[in-house]
Amino acid sequence: ILDLAPYSSTKCKNISEGDTQILYSLYGIVEHSGTMRSGHYTAYVKVRPNSLKSPLNDKKGLNFFINENLKKSPPRGSWFHISDTSVQPVSESKVQSCQAYLLFYERLL
């Protein structure tokens, strides 16, 4: 969880006067291995609630891809490492120790 309130102005969109927290949750990481000239990109993705209206939850989305490849619904909040067509569950400590290239956050309301 990342709190951006200390770094935000009250004039920012969707921030009310008196808000003490502006919370974001990490849900995806892109990792690059190799050199600047060549290499391979992989991703770490957290399973998110199906109730969210998100492209990750539709029939072409990532949660659908994970469910189809594992033949079961993983618990919400679990992490997966995705490389090409390989989808493997991983521990949160593995995610925390990866060499992050890009981070993806969603705002918690």
Side-chain angles (χ1 to χ4, degrees), residues 27-92:
Y27 72 89
I29 299 171
V30 173
E31 182 177 50
H32 180 264
S33 58
T35 67
M36 292 294 285
R37 293 179 183 243
S38 68
H40 183 66
Y41 291 94
T42 61
Y44 292 89
V45 179
K46 182 167 51 171
V47 176
R48 299 163 68 224
N50 285 332
S51 61
L52 291 175
K53 292 190 183 221
S54 163
L56 295 178
N57 293 326
D58 68 18
K59 292 237 181 224
K60 297 176 187 169
L62 190 55
N63 283 353
F64 181 78
F65 179 75
I66 290 170
N67 292 343
E68 284 298 301
N69 281 280
L70 296 178
K71 303 301 181 199
K72 63 180 179 175
S73 292
R76 189 175 83 183
S78 53
W79 284 90
F80 287 85
H81 182 248
I82 301 169
S83 177
D84 298 328
T85 59
S86 170
V87 178
Q88 300 295 321
V90 293
S91 67
E92 190 169 322

